[in-house]
C-alpha cells in the first residue's frame, strides 16, 4: 500500500472467540486495501476483552461506529 494513495482501508471481522467468565480472547482477521480496493495485506490481531461491568469500571462507556448517531 502506498502512503500517497487517496484512501487506505482497514477492514476487520471476528474470526474466533474463546473464553469463560475470567478470560475472553477474540481473534480479529484484518485486511489492508489500497485506493482501488485491492487487498494488499492480511493479518490477525488477538484481543483480550472485558465484560460490560469491568469495561465501565475502567472508563469505557460506549462504542459508536462510523455513520452511527
Amino acid at each position: 500500500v502506498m502512503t500517497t494513495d487517496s484512501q487506505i482501508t482497514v477492514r476487520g471481522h471476528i474470526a474466533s472467540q474463546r473464553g469463560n467468565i475470567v478470560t475472553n480472547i477474540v481473534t480479529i482477521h484484518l485486511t489492508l486495501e489500497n485506493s482501488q480496493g485491492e487487498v494488499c495485506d492480511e493479518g490477525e490481531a488477538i484481543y483480550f476483552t472485558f465484560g460490560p461491568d469491568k469495561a465501565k469500571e475502567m472508563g469505557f462507556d460506549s462504542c459508536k461506529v462510523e455513520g452511527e448517531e
Side-chain angles (χ1 to χ4, degrees), residues 3-23:
T3 58
T4 56
D5 274 356
S6 60
Q7 180 175 322
I8 297 171
T9 303
V10 177
R11 297 182 192 274
H13 69 271
I14 296 173
S16 67
Q17 290 180 273
R18 63 187 187 277
N20 54 43
I21 198 154
V22 177
T23 307

Side-chain angles (χ1 to χ4, degrees), residues 52-67:
D53 292 339
K54 182 65 174 177
K56 190 166 273 205
E57 178 185 315
M58 296 175 69
F60 185 82
D61 61 0
S62 66
C63 180
K64 294 183 180 179
V65 296
E66 187 174 327

